[in-house]
C-alpha cells in the first residue's frame, strides 16, 4: 500500500530543528540578554569607523592641555594620557578584543575537541596518555606560562593569539572527553555496532551530534577566557603596542598616573568594555547550557504546594459502610492529585481514589506505568515533587487527617506511623554513609528516648537480622551491598521505628525472580509477625495473587476496580481488570497464547473525555466516550468504575 | 537494571575490607609519584622554553648597546650560555646524539638541574642577586595572599551556594546567581584598580605589604599594619573567586538534593535543616573539592594580577617586574616556584578527596 | 534433518578486572536450527547476555576476552572473524535487540535515520529506497501513521512503541537469526504481551530463528521451542519447552519454577525461595556451582562439576542426582 505523500525532505528537518531551538532559546532570558550584549559589540566593531567620532589613534587637535580631560562635549568619555579621545579608542578596541578572542578560541576548541574526542573514543592507553598530558597542563599555572611565552617572543597580536590558543584547550578536552565517554557507553552505540556500523560512522552519526552542543557552550566560554587573558597580558605590558586593545588602554592609564590625577574615566571605560564582553558571553553560555542541557531547577527540598480541598464528591466514596470493622489504620477518601505545568492544563494524575487499610492487611495496588500509583503513594505522606498538588480528598491515619497537618506535624507521622520502601533501592540510600548509620538515624529521630549506647547498635543488628543481613554488614556502605541486599536493607530501615503501615513501591521490580521470592516471603512473614499493614505497589499480577488480601486496580489515575483478591481473580467486572488477567502468562497453560490489550495508556495531561479506558476497551459503547463512569458498588467489598456494571450487584 | 554487561562479583565483602587499606595506600603512592613526575616535567619545560625560544637571553638581558662584543661574550660565559644546551642539541639532529663527544654533564641542562637540586636558581640579570634569595622572600607573601583569599572565598562561596540551592528559584537564589555571574566576569586586575581607587579615598594603603619603617613597631601593630595592606588585595581575590565557588556549590548541591536518598530522608521525617546537614552537604562538597584543586592553577593567575596592581611583594609582582626588565632568570625562577607550589597544593586537595569519598577506596 | 544454523562449542569468556578475573562464561555448547526459537533463561550475572554478545564479538576486549570456543554459523567460525567481517554479519545475518529501548535509541536522531542506517550500510539501498522499506517495516510492527512518524524523535514514542521500532530495525535486513536480549523486561505486562505476540507473528513470516534471553520463565512458556537454563556461566539444563515445565531435571530449574508467583496458585501456597545468592564469579569454578544452595546436594557435587548428561530424548541436565527420585544417577 503505497501512499502518495513523500516523506519530508531532510532539509526541512534541519530548518525545523533550528527554528525550534530558536524558539526555546528565546524564552531563556539570560541567553537572550547575553546574545544582545555580544550582538551590540559585534555591530560596534564592524561599523567602528562610522561610529567613532575620531579616527583611531588620532592625534587630531591633541595638545598638552588635552591630556586626561574629563568627559565633555568634544570628548564624550574624556581623553587619555596622550590626549586621544577615549570613546574612539574604546570603539576601535572592540575589534581587537573580539578578533583576539575569537581566533584564539578557535585554536583552543579545535585542539581541545580533537584531543577529547580521540581520548574518549579510543580509551585505553591513548586515553590515559592524553589525559595525563591534559592534567599536567591543567596544573601548570596558565597565566604565568602565557606571560613567559609571550615575553620571550615578540609581543604581537599574532603571537598572542597563538599562545593563548595553544594553552586554552585543557578544559575543553576534559569536557569533550567525558561527554564522548558517556555517549560511547550508551546503548544506542552498542546497537549501532550490533547492526554492523564501523567506527567512522559511529563517530560522525552518533557521537558528534551529541558532543556538538557541549562544544558550542564551551566555545563561548573559551572566547570569554581568551578576551580576559588578552586584556590581562596587555595590562601587564605584553600587549601589542600597535593594536590598542582595552587592556592596553588600561595599561597606559594605570602606568601613567591616571589614579593620582583622579582620571577615573580613563580607568573605568575600558574595564567596563571588558566586563561587557565577558559578561555577555557568560550569560550567552549559561543560556545555551540551559537550553541544550535542561536541568530541573527544583529538588526534593523545594517547598511543596498547599493542599486544596475542592469538595467535589461526585464520584462516590470507595468507603464501604459495612466493611468488617476492625482496626482501620488508613482511610483514604476521594484523593485527587494534579501536576501543575506552566501555561498548560494540569495533569490529573490521581482522581478521586479511595481505599481503607486495616491492621495486618496487605493491599495490592496494581496498574501500568503512569497510572498514578506512585503519585498516590507519595501523596499520602505529602512527598510529592514540587509540581504535585493535592486538590481534593482526605487521608485519615488513625483518625488524624494527614492532609491538614503542617510540615512539622507531618514529620512526626512520617516513618514512625507510615514508612515507605522506595522503588529501585539503588539510589535510595545515601552512598557516603554506612547502612547502619542510616538505620540508626531513623531510630534517633523518632525514638528520642532510645539509649544511644550499644543498645542502639544491637537494635540495628536486630533489624538487619530480621531481613537476613549479617551483622557485620552494618558498617558497610550501600555500594558494597548487592541489589537484593540493598532492597532488604531498605526494608529493615522502613521497620526501624515500628510503623503501623508500610508502603512498598514496586520493591522487587528490578530484581531477579529468586530474590523477588525471598523478599515477598519476607514481607509476608513480617506482616504476620508484626501485624503490619502493607500496601504493595506493583504491575505484576502474579505477585498480587500470591500475597495480597485485597486489590486496588488503577487505570489512568482512577480506580478501575477495588475488591478482595479472590473476587478480582474470579469475578473481575471491569474490562481492564479482565484484560490484565488475560494478558498475564499462566504457567498451567504454557502454550496458551498471551492476549494483549492493544493501544497505550493515556497521557495524563491529555485525557479523553468520558471513561479513560474507553479507547482500548473491548466492551466500549457510546456512553463511555461521553461520561466518566462513577465508582459503582457491587458488593460488600467490590467496587468497579464501569457503565456496564451499573445497577448490578 | 537487569542486564549487566560486565558482571561484578556479587559478594564483595571479603574482597573489599582486606583490600581497601591496601588500595588506599596504593592510590596515595601513585598520586605522589605522579606529582613528582609533573614537577619534573615542569622543570624540563621551564628549561627548554628559556633556552629554545628565540631571543638569546644574553642579548635580551644585556641591553646596553654600548657593550662591546667581547663584553657580551664574557657575560655569556659568566652565565654559562656558551655551553651546549644538551648534548648535541645545537646541531638539532638528535641522531647525532650518540656520536657527539660532548660531556653530557657539562651541558646547560644538567648544570641547571644540578643547581636546582642545590636550591640554586641562577642570578638576576637586573640586580645581580641570587634569584633564590630574591624570590624566597616573596614566595611566602604570595602564599599568604592566596591562602587568605582562598579560605575566605571557599567559605563565603559555600555559604552563598548552599543558600542559593536551598532557596532555588526564589529571589535570593536569583540574586546570588546574577551577582556571581557579574563578579566572575570582572577582570581581576581591573577590579583591583577600581577597589584601589576607592580605597585610596578611605585612606587605605596604596601599595606594598607594610608601611616603610613598620619593622620597628611592636609585633601586634606590625600584623595590624600588614592586615591593613592586605585588606584590598584579599578583598579583590575573594570577590573574584567566591563567585565561581558559589556557582559550583549551588549546582552541586542542587544535583545532590535531587537524588533519591534525599526523598528517603524526607520520608523518614527529618527536618530540612537536618537533611542538609547530615545527607546533602558532604556529598555536595566532594565535587567542590575537585574544582578547587583544578582551579589552583588559575588562581595563581589572579595573584599575579593583584600583586601587580597593589605592588604586593610576592612572586606575581616578581613576574611583572621581570617582564618589564626582561630579567629572565627571575622570570624562570618565579614560574618554577609558582608551578611547584600549585602542584603541591593540587596533590593535597587530591589526597583530601581520596579520604573523604568512601567509594574511592574500593575502586 | 537440517544441520544447525548456529553451532556453539565450548564458549568461554572472561573479564580482566582490577579485582581479578571474572569467569563469566565457562564453556557452553548449544545449537539452534533454522526457524527455531530457543530461550536462554537465568538470573543476572549468569552469563546469558555475555555469551550472546561474545558470539557477535560485541564484548570490549580489554577487559573482556573470549578465551576459547567456536561458533560455527553457516560453515564458518564467527569467533575467528575480523572486525570488518563481523560488521558485515551484524545486522544482516544476525541481528540483536537489547533490553531497554529508551537507551538503545539515539535521542537526537530521527527514527528514520536510525532505521535506515542498517539498510544503507548492508544492502546498499539509496536513502529513498531505505525509507520506503522503513515505513513498510513500521507498519508491519504496528506503528500507526508510520509515514509521518518516521521523522519523529525517540522521546515522542512510548516504551512499547520504541521496542517495536527496535524490532523493526533488527528485521530490516531480514536476518536469519535474531538475538533478543531481555526485550520485554523493562515493559509493563500488557505491553509485554503485545511484543511477544508481535515477535511470534513475525518469525512465522520470515522463518527466522530466535534466541530469546530472559529471566522470566513465564514469558518463555508461550513462545519458545526449546529452553536452555544457565547458572554461573554454565548450562545446567536444556530441554524442549513442555518437558522443562512438566518434568524439570535440575534443582536450579526446580527452584526457578517454584519461585515464580503464579495466578493459579493462590495464597494457600507459600512462595518458595532459596536462601543465598549466585556464586562469586571471581573465583574459578570448582565443583557444581549450585552446590551451596542445592537441596539435593551430595558429596560428589562439591568435588566435580557435572557435565550435561542426557536424561531423556532432547532433554539434558548437568546434575549428579535424579531430581525425581533424589537418588544419584
Amino acid at each position: 500500500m503505497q501512499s502518495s505523500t513523500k516523506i519530508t525532505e531532510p532539509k526541512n528537518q534541519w530548518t525545523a530543528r533550528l527554528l525550534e531551538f530558536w524558539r526555546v532559546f528565546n524564552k531563556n532570558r539570560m541567553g537572550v540578554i547575553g546574545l544582545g550584549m555580544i550582538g551590540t559589540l559585534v555591530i560596534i566593531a564592524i561599523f567602528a569607523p562610522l561610529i567613532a567620532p575620531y579616527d583611531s589613534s588620532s592625534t587630531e587637535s591633541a595638545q598638552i592641555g588635552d591630556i586626561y580631560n574629563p568627559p565633555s562635549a568634544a570628548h564624550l568619555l574624556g581623553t587619555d594620557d596622550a590626549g586621544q579621545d577615549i570613546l574612539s579608542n574604546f570603539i576601535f578596541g572592540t575589534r581587537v578584543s573580539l578578533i583576539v578572542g575569537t581566533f584564539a578560541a578557535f585554536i583552543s576548541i579545535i585542539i581541545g575537541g580533537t584531543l577529547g574526542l580521540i581520548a574518549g573514543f579510543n580509551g585505553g592507553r591513548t586515553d590515559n596518555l592524553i589525559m595525563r598530558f591534559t592534567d599536567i597542563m591543567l596544573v601548570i599555572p596558565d597565566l604565568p606560562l602565557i606571560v613567559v611565552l609571550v615575553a620571550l617572543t615578540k609581543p604581537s597580536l599574532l603571537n598572542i593569539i597563538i599562545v593563548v590558543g595553544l594553552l586554552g584547550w585543557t578544559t575543553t578536552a576534559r569536557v569533550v572527553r567525558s561527554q564522548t565517554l558517556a555517549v560511547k557507553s550508551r546503548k544506542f552505540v552498542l546497537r549501532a555496532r550490533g547492526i554492523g556500523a564501523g567506527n567512522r560512522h559511529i563517530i560522525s552519526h552518533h557521537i558528534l551530534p551529541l558532543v556538538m552542543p557541549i562544544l558550542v557552550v564551551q566555545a563561548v566560554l573559551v572566547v570569554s577566557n581568551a578576551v580576559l587573558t588578552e586584556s590581562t597580558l596587555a595590562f601587564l605590558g605584553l600587549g601589542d603596542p600597535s593594536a590598542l586593545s582595552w587592556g592596553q588602554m588600561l595599561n597606559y592609564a594605570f602606568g601613567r598616573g591616571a589614579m593620582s590625577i583622579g582620571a577615573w574615566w580613563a580607568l573605568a571605560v575600558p574595564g567596563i568594555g571588558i566586563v561587557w564582553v565577558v559578561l555577555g558571553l557568560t550569560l550567552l553560555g549559561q543560556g545555551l547550557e540551559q537550553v541544550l542541557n535542561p536541568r530541573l531547577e527544583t529538588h526534593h527540598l523545594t517547598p511543596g504546594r498547599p493542599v486544596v480541598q475542592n469538595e467535589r464528591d461526585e464520584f462516590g466514596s470507595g468507603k464501604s459502610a459495612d466493611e468488617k470493622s476492625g482496626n482501620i489504620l488508613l482511610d483514604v477518601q476521594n484523593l485527587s492529585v494534579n501536576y501543575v505545568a506552566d501555561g498548560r492544563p494540569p495533569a490529573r494524575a490521581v482522581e478521586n481514589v479511595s481505599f481503607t487499610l486495616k491492621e495486618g492487611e496487605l493491599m495490592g495496588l496494581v496498574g501500568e506505568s503512569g497510572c498514578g500509583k506512585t503519585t498516590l503513594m507519595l501523596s499520602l505522606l505529602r512527598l510529592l515533587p514540587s509540581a504535585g498538588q493535592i486538590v481534593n480528598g482526605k487521608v485519615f491515619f488513625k483518625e488524624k487527617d494527614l492532609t491538614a497537618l503542617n510540615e512539622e506535624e507531618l514529620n512526626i507521622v512520617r516513618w514512625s506511623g507510615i514508612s515507605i520502601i522506595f522503588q529501585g533501592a539503588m539510589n535510595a540510600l545515601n552512598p557516603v554513609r554506612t547502612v547502619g548509620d542510616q538505620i540508626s538515624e531513623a531510630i534517633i529521630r523518632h525514638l528520642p528516648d532510645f539509649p544511644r549506647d550499644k543498645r542502639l547498635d544491637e537494635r540495628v543488628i536486630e533489624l538487619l537480622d530480621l531481613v537476613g543481613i549479617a551483622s557485620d554488614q552494618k558498617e558497610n556502605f550501600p555500594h558494597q551491598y548487592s541489589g537484593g541486599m540493598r532492597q532488604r536493607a531498605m526494608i529493615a530501615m522502613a521497620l526501624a521505628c515500628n510503623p503501623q503501615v508500610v508502603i512498598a513501591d514496586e520493591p522487587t521490580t528490578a530484581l531477579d525472580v529468586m530474590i523477588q521470592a525471598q523478599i515477598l516471603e519476607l514481607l509476608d512473614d513480617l506482616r504476620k509477625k508484626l501485624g503490619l499493614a502493607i500496601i504493595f505497589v506493583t504491575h505484576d499480577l502474579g505477585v498480587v495473587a500470591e500475597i495480597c488480601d485485597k486489590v486496588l486496580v488503577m487505570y489512568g489515575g482512577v480506580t478501575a476496580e477495588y475488591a478482595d483478591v479472590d473476587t478480582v481473580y474470579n469475578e473481575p467486572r471491569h474490562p481492564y481488570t479482565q484484560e490484565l488477567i488475560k494478558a498475564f502468562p499462566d504457567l498451567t497453560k504454557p502454550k496458551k497464547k498471551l492476549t494483549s490489550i492493544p493501544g497505550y495508556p493515556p497521557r495524563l495531561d491529555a485525557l479523553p473525555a468520558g471513561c479513560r479506558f474507553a479507547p482500548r476497551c473491548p466492551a466500549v459503547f457510546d456512553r463511555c466516550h461521553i461520561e466518566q463512569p462513577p465508582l459503582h458498588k457491587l458488593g460488600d467489598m467490590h467496587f468497579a468504575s464501569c457503565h456496564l456494571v451499573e445497577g448490578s450487584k | 537494571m537487569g542486564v549487566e554487561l560486565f558482571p561484578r562479583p556479587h559478594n564483595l565483602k571479603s574482597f573489599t575490607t582486606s583490600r581497601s587499606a591496601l588500595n588506599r595506600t596504593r592510590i596515595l603512592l601513585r598520586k605522589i609519584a605522579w606529582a613528582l613526575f609533573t614537577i619534573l616535567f615542569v622543570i624540563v619545560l621551564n628549561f627548554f622554553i628559556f633556552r629554545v625560544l628565540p631571543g638569546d637571553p644574553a642579548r635580551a638581558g644585556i641591553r646596553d648597546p654600548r657593550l662591546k662584543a667581547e663584553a657580551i661574550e664574557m657575560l655569556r660565559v659568566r652565565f654559562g650560555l656558551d655551553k651546549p644546551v644538551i648534548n648535541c642539541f645545537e646541531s638539532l639532529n638528535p641522531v647525532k646524539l650518540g656520536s657527539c663527544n660532548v660531556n653530557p654533564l657539562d651541558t646547560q641542562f644538567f648544570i641547571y638541574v644540578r643547581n636546582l637540586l642545590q636550591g640554586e636558581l641562577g642570578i638576576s640579570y637586573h640586580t645581580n642577586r641570587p634569584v633564590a634569595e630574591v624570590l624566597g622572600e616573596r614566595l611566602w607573601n604570595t602564599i599568604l595572599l592566596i591562602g587568605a583569599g582562598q579560605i575566605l572565598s571557599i567559605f563565603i562561596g559555600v555559604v552563598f551556594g548552599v543558600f542559593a540551592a536551598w532557596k532555588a528559584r526564589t529571589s535570593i537564589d536569583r540574586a546570588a546567581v546574577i551577582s556571581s555571574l557579574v563578579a566572575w566576569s570582572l577582570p581581576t586586575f581591573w577590579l583591583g584598580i577600581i577597589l584601589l581607587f576607592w580605597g585610596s579615598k578611605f585612606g587605605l594603603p596604596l601599595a606594598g605589604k607594610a608601611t616603610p619603617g613598620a619593622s620597628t613597631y611592636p609585633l601586634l601593630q606590625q600584623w595590624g599594619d600588614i592586615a591593613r595592606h592586605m585588606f584590598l588585595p584579599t578583598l579583590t581575590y575573594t570577590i573574584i573567586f567566591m563567585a565561581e565557588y558559589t556557582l559550583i556549590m549551588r549546582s552541586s548541591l542542587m544535583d545532590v538534593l535531587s537524588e533519591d536518598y534525599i526523598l528517603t530522608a524526607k520520608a523518614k521525617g527529618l527536618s530540612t535543616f537536618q537533611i542538609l546537614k547530615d545527607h546533602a552537604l558532604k556529598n555536595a562538597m566532594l565535587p567542590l573539592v575537585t574544582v578547587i584543586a583544578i582551579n589552583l592553577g588559575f588562581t595563581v593567575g589572579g595573584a599575579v594580577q593583584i600583586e601587580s596592581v597593589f605592588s604586593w611583594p610576592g612572586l606575581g609582582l616578581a613576574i611583572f617586574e621581570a617582564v618589564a626588565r626582561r630579567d629572565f632568570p627571575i622570570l624562570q625562577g618565579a614560574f618554577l616556584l609558582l608551578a611547584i607550589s600549585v602542584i603541591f597544593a593540587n596533590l593535597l586537595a587530591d589526597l583530601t578527596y581520596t579520604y573523604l569519598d568512601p567509594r574511592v577506596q574500593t575502586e | 534433518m537440517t544441520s544447525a544454523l548456529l553451532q556453539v562449542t565450548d564458549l568461554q569468556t572472561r573479564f580482566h578486572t582490577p579485582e581479578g578475573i571474572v569467569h563469566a562464561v565457562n564453556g557452553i555448547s548449544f545449537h539452534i536450527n533454522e526457524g527455531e526459537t530457543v530461550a536462554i533463561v537465568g538470573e543476572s550475572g549468569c552469563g546469558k547476555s555475555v555469551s550472546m554478545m561474545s558470539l557477535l564479538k560485541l564484548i570490549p576486549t580489554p577487559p573482556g576476552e573470549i578465551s576459547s570456543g567456536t561458533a560455527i554459523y553457516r560453515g564458518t567460525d564467527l569467533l575467528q572473524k575480523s572486525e570488518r567481517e563481523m560488521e558485515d554479519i551484524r545486522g544482516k545475518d544476525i541481528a540483536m535487540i537489547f533490553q531497554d529501548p529508551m537507551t538503545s535509541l539515539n535521542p537526537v536522531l530521527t527514527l528514520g535515520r536510525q532505521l535506515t542506517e542498517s539498510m544503507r550500510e548492508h544492502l546498499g539501498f539509496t536513502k529513498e529506497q531505505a525509507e520506503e522499506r522503513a515505513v513498510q517495516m513500521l507498519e508491519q510492527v504496528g506503528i500507526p501513521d508510520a509515514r509521518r512518524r518516521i521523522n519523529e524523535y525517540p522521546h515522542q514514542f512510548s516504551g512499547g512503541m520504541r521496542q517495536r521500532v527496535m524490532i523493526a530495525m533488527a528485521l530490516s535486513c531480514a536476518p536469519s537469526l535474531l538475538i533478543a536480549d531481555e526485550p520485554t523486561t523493562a515493559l509493563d505486562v500488557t505491553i509485554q504481551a503485545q511484543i511477544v505476540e508481535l515477535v511470534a507473528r513475525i518469525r512465522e513470516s520470515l522463518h527466522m530463528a530466535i534466541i530469546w534471553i530472559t529471566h522470566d520463565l513465564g514469558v518463555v512458556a508461550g513462545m519458545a521451542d526449546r529452553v536452555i537454563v544457565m547458572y554461573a556461566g554454565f548450562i545446567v539444563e536444556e530441554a524442549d519447552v513442555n518437558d522443562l515445565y512438566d518434568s524439570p531435571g535440575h534443582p536450579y530449574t526446580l527452584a526457578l519454577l517454584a519461585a515464580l508467583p503464579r495466578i493459579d496458585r493462590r495464597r494457600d501456597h507459600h512462595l518458595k525461595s532459596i536462601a543465598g545468592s549466585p556464586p562469586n564469579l571471581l573465583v574459578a569454578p570448582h565443583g557444581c556451582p549450585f552446590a551451596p544452595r542445592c537441596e539435593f546436594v551430595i558429596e560428589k557435587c562439591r568435588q566435580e562439576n557435572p557435565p550435561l548428561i542426557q536424561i531423556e530424548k532432547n532433554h539434558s541436565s548437568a546434575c549428579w542426582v535424579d531430581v525425581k527420585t533424589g537418588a544419584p544417577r
Side-chain angles (χ1 to χ4, degrees), chain B residues 18 29 53 70 113 137 175 178 185 188 211 215 255 263 284 313 319:
Chain B
S18 60
L29 287 177
L53 283 179
E70 301 99 47
V113 173
E137 308 158 356
I178 302 269
S185 309
T188 312
T211 320
S215 44
D255 276 343
L263 186 61
I319 289 188

Side-chain angles (χ1 to χ4, degrees), chain B residues 270-281:
Chain B
L270 300 172
S271 70
T272 303
F273 180 70
Q274 244 178 318
I275 298 178
L276 277 174
K277 180 169 71 83
D278 294 331
H279 284 274
L281 267 177

Side-chain angles (χ1 to χ4, degrees), chain A residues 30 286 290 295-297 299, chain B residues 157-158 160-170 172-174 176-177 180 244-257 284 288:
Chain A
M30 254 200 254
Q286 289 280 93
Q290 282 173 359
R295 291 163 96 157
L296 244 51
E297 290 280 306
H299 48 67
Chain B
V158 166
F160 279 18
V162 168
F163 261 102
W166 182 5
K167 306 281 180 197
R169 271 180 155 191
T170 62
I172 294 182
D173 178 32
R174 264 191 260 276
V177 171
S180 297
E244 179 160 11
Y245 296 146
T246 303
L247 291 171
I248 302 276
M249 188 66 195
R250 174 188 181 273
S251 117
S252 170
L253 189 58
M254 288 203 62
D255 276 343
V256 168
L257 291 179
L288 187 65

